[in-house]
């Protein structure tokens, strides 16, 4: 399956390589070095990575600041990315996906995030939603819903968090009461990426009693009576994707739109989040990689006390630590991606470790890169501040890093 997916995407990707290959000098100049993200990859993965870097440099990076400042949702750019297979990277090929591995996916999202971390993060959530339908949906659901999502003709949102249930997701209260061949949904979801703009909402709702076994997963399509949205939230970062509450008021959803069996929703949600944690950690890697390069280049050109900042041993050592933490984070994420692909018993804990370690370390890298820029780093004319703002939320979503620590400790104590 993966081999066929690679061949399909390879054919799509060749078209992009008519232009210059790889990211621009501002992102990846001279990176045949200790932080080279292609280290350890096979030749096919290097090809995917080059195309993703190239797309990030040509189609995303030039617009990153405008999307952020004007809060624009770059639909056309994402649809161009979908033409390369990036709308359903790890979705099966028979419904329009690329059929690639979790490691391939991490490599692609890391590269794309150098061009715009916020936009790539939304694309990663979209991919997670499509995978959930592909993995747990019926054949009818897969073939009806996945092709337009993989092409990004339609966009998807993941609806788990509620105003009263964040980390304690199993306590959600959005209800779905069955009436004949429909569920009647009442309740609301909070902090939903793509809310109001997405076409498909993958919703966790309560069809049974309390706890995780009472939760089911349904697809609610935009335009369904009773579905509405809250105001667009004003955020520190992630401004190229809208965030709104999603509200259900006697919203009638066909039972045919339920994904999996009744009571299986929490399992589906958690399975999706295992991959989502790898995805968001990969976005943090892209932001940190770009920030290390920006910091390095700034140290070379900025002069104080009559010489370049790069001559300062203190700053040299800080840059070295940033590079080491970046590479360690990348290796942790890629090891977890491989474990998830292989369905190993330790995959859940390793995904939690990768998310915890990489998002913490990569935010610290971005923040240190801003500090190295001095006052310039605090200006919106300089990209480093956007990498800081866009990567900060990665420590909170897809399960906060406090919850990641809980998952890891629970795994250790159960041995």
């Amino acid at each position: 399956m993966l081999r066929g997916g690679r061949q399909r995407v390879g054919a799509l990707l060749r078209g992009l390589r008519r232009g210059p290959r790889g990211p621009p000098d501002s992102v990846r100049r001279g990176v045949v070095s200790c932080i080279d993200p292609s280290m350890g990859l096979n030749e096919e993965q290097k090809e995917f990575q080059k195309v993703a870097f190239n797309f990030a440099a040509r189609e995303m990076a030039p617009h990153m600041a405008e999307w952020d400042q004007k809060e624009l949702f770059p639909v056309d750019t994402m649809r161009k990315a979908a033409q390369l297979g990036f709308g359903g990277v790890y979705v099966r090929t028979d419904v329009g996906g690329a059929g690639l591995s979790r490691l391939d996916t991490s490599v692609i999202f890391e590269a794309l995030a150098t061009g715009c971390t916020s936009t790539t993060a939304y694309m990663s959530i979209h991919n997670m939603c499509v995978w959930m339908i592909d993995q747990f949906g019926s054949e009818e659901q897969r073939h009806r819903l996945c092709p337009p999502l993989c092409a990004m003709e339609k966009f998807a949102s993941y609806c788990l968090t509620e105003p009263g249930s964040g980390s304690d997701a199993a306590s959600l209260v959005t209800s779905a009461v069955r009436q004949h061949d429909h569920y009647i949904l009442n309740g609301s979801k909070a902090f939903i990426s793509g809310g109001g703009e997405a076409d498909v909402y993958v919703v966790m709702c309560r069809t049974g009693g309390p706890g995780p076994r009472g939760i089911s997963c349904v697809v609610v399509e935009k335009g369904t009576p009773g579905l509405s949205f809250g105001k667009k939230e004003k955020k520190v970062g992630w401004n190229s994707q809208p965030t709104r509450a999603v509200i259900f008021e006697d919203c009638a959803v066909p039972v045919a739109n339920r994904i999996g069996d009744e009571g299986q929703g929490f399992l589906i949600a958690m399975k999706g989040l295992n991959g989502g944690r790898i995805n968001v950690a990969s976005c943090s890697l892209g932001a940190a990689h770009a920030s290390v390069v920006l910091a390095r280049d700034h140290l070379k050109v900025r002069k104080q006390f009559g010489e370049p900042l790069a001559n300062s041993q203190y700053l040299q050592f800080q840059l070295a630590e940033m590079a080491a933490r970046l590479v360690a984070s990348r290796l942790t994420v890629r090891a977890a991606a491989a474990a998830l692909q292989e369905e190993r018993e330790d995959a859940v804990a390793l995904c939690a470790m990768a998310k915890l370690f990489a998002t913490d370390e990569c935010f610290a890298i971005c923040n240190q890169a801003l500090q190295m820029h001095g006052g310039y780093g605090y200006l919106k004319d300089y990209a480093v501040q956007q990498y800081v703002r866009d990567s900060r939320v990665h420590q909170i979503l897809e399960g906060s890093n406090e919850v990641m620590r809980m998952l890891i400790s629970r795994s250790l104590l159960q041995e």
Side-chain angles (χ1 to χ4, degrees), residues 229-267:
F229 307 97
K231 66 178 179 62
K232 185 177 177 182
E233 304 289 0
K234 303 295 290 185
K235 306 190 298 291
V236 172
W238 269 30
N239 289 319
S240 69
Q241 48 171 295
T243 300
R244 293 184 174 92
V246 177
I247 303 163
F248 308 99
E249 297 174 296
D250 293 330
C251 181
V253 179
V255 172
N257 278 19
R258 187 188 67 225
I259 304 299
D261 297 329
E262 276 200 6
Q264 196 180 9
F266 193 75
L267 172 66

Side-chain angles (χ1 to χ4, degrees), residues 90-294:
Y90 52 108
V91 174
R92 284 175 280 182
T93 58
D94 66 322
V95 290
L100 300 184
S101 73
R102 300 293 186 149
L103 177 54
D104 299 334
T105 302
S106 175
V107 168
I108 288 168
F109 285 150
E110 177 183 354
L112 290 176
T114 63
C116 182
T117 304
S118 168
T119 302
T120 305
Y122 171 76
M123 291 174 62
S124 80
I125 295 168
H126 171 92
N127 269 262
M128 178 179 71
C129 292
V130 187
W131 176 83
M132 291 165 66
I133 297 170
D134 179 45
Q135 185 70 17
F136 297 100
S138 66
E139 286 302 302
E140 186 277 331
Q141 290 168 337
R142 291 180 64 244
H143 287 275
R144 171 168 58 92
L145 296 169
C146 290
L149 290 171
C150 288
M152 284 190 149
E153 294 168 4
K154 293 185 176 181
F155 295 93
S157 288
Y158 178 78
C159 299
L160 175 64
T161 300
E162 296 184 359
S165 62
S167 297
D168 184 14
S171 68
L172 66 84
V173 297
T174 295
S175 63
V177 177
R178 185 162 181 170
Q179 292 185 3
H180 306 295
D181 58 352
H182 282 75
Y183 289 110
I184 308 302
L185 272 63
N186 281 284
S188 64
K189 299 293 180 176
F191 311 127
I192 303 305
S193 295
E197 299 295 332
D199 306 281
V200 170
Y201 296 86
V202 181
V203 181
M204 308 308 145
C205 52
R206 190 162 300 283
T207 54
R213 294 183 180 179
I215 296 171
S216 298
C217 176
V218 300
V219 167
V220 183
E221 298 177 71
K222 191 174 183 179
T224 302
L227 173 65
S228 62
F229 307 97
K231 66 178 179 62
K232 185 177 177 182
E233 304 289 0
K234 303 295 290 185
K235 306 190 298 291
V236 172
W238 269 30
N239 289 319
S240 69
Q241 48 171 295
T243 300
R244 293 184 174 92
V246 177
I247 303 163
F248 308 99
E249 297 174 296
D250 293 330
C251 181
V253 179
V255 172
N257 278 19
R258 187 188 67 225
I259 304 299
D261 297 329
E262 276 200 6
Q264 196 180 9
F266 193 75
L267 172 66
I268 294 171
M270 294 302 104
K271 292 278 189 181
L273 283 178
N274 288 332
R277 287 162 186 159
I278 296 295
N279 294 346
V280 77
S282 302
C283 292
S284 288
L285 291 174
H289 179 85
S291 295
V292 169
V293 175
L294 289 170

Side-chain angles (χ1 to χ4, degrees), residues 286-333:
H289 179 85
S291 295
V292 169
V293 175
L294 289 170
R296 179 199 64 188
D297 292 350
H298 182 76
L299 295 183
K300 288 180 177 181
V301 300
R302 174 67 168 164
K303 290 185 177 181
Q304 287 290 279
F305 307 105
E307 60 181 351
L309 291 178
N311 290 355
S312 164
Q313 189 177 64
Y314 174 75
L315 293 175
Q316 290 172 8
F317 285 0
Q318 283 198 323
L319 190 65
E321 289 181 3
M322 292 160 65
R325 289 150 75 184
L326 170 61
V327 173
S329 297
R330 182 180 290 134
L331 293 173
T332 302
V333 172

Side-chain angles (χ1 to χ4, degrees), residues 7-19:
Q7 290 173 341
R8 176 184 177 277
V9 174
L12 289 171
L13 300 186
R14 281 192 289 274
L16 188 64
R17 293 198 289 273
R18 299 187 186 115

